[in-house]
Amino acid sequence: MILGSQFFVTPSDSLAIIAAYADVIPFFRAQGGLKGVARSMPTSGAVDLVAKDLNFDLFETPTGWKYFGNLMDSKDIYGGKDYTPFICGEESFGTGSNHVREKDGIWAVLAWLSILASENTDASKPLVTVEDIVKKHWAKYGRNYYCRWDFEGVDGVSANAMMDKMRSDSESNTGRTVGAYTIATADDFTYVDPVDGSVSKKQGIRFLMADGSRVIFRLSGTAGSGATVRMYIEQYQPDKSKLEMSVSDALDNLVKVALELCDIKTFCGTETPTVIT
């Protein structure tokens, strides 16, 4: 978790900013520069904008570090393309690189210290803070407003029925207008691993809006006493006059659309989340 002075950096923004500043981070610079970036599918698309701008290979994977590991090992184990140096991350605070096949919070902090050092080379000038760096990034790339709602302990059968309903309605929902949003694509995310060709199905229900916003639903823990429904909300905002709104205000309309699309109140008896992150 990266924190400034009374300023929280989302894991998605942190990943994007590290990628944008890769050339000032010794680990990447010593190897000739960053080549590949990857994020889990529910993680915001902030890093996608950086990858497109700086011409990095970009991957959207299912949740789980094993998918990142395959990409890191593409050349050494599978004889494929070399994507390293490589950076990857998940919205649940995991960030890492190809020095280890696991998330590494200490490494992420050191990367941020390198970024801060690069922006504070003149001691006679005011300190450039974590907040300053994030807001500079938003000014260049726009802001991906983002949050996750967790509904914990819901009935597993009911939660599965809700997911199945959204899955079966994917075709009819594509092209549908809900509120101010038009659903460009509704689907159930399937990942085809570019390294070993393995296929991972049913990795999350996605509603991809025409304006770049996303609503995603994933289900976990159905084997125990209660399931957890995770609802991910993302609104891309390029307007420089709207980069400092509260997250709740920025996402209010999209949250209402998400609750309508899943109808969780009918299936699970609540639309009040246990946790919001």
Side-chain angles (χ1 to χ4, degrees), residues 234-274:
E234 177 182 2
Q235 171 81 56
Y236 175 63
Q237 180 55 261
D239 187 339
K240 291 185 178 181
S241 69
K242 299 179 180 179
L243 298 179
E244 296 189 40
M245 298 173 63
S246 71
V247 174
S248 59
D249 287 343
L251 297 179
D252 183 59
N253 288 333
L254 190 54
V255 165
K256 292 174 182 175
V257 167
L259 293 172
E260 178 180 342
L261 288 170
C262 69
D263 197 15
I264 195 169
K265 182 69 177 290
T266 298
F267 283 97
C268 300
T270 183
E271 57 182 26
T272 302
T274 314

Side-chain angles (χ1 to χ4, degrees), residues 58-136:
L58 172 67
F59 302 93
E60 181 183 39
T61 75
T63 297
W65 218 258
K66 65 180 182 180
Y67 300 102
F68 297 149
N70 254 19
L71 294 166
M72 296 178 201
D73 293 332
S74 176
K75 179 182 178 182
D76 291 344
I77 293 181
Y78 296 94
K81 183 176 179 179
D82 186 5
Y83 298 117
T84 62
F86 182 87
I87 187 172
C88 51
E90 296 184 334
E91 48 78 31
S92 54
F93 295 94
T95 305
S97 188
N98 53 285
H99 64 290
V100 65
R101 301 304 185 260
E102 186 52 273
K103 61 196 73 172
D104 188 346
I106 299 299
W107 180 89
V109 169
L110 291 172
W112 265 92
L113 289 174
S114 295
I115 294 168
L116 285 163
S118 75
E119 290 283 3
N120 288 283
T121 57
D122 188 343
S124 67
K125 295 183 178 179
L127 178 70
V128 177
T129 66
V130 168
E131 181 177 355
D132 294 331
I133 289 168
V134 173
K135 289 183 176 179
K136 178 181 176 183

Side-chain angles (χ1 to χ4, degrees), residues 45-56:
V47 76
D48 302 29
L49 302 169
V50 176
K52 181 179 180 180
D53 180 42
L54 300 180
N55 199 31
F56 299 142

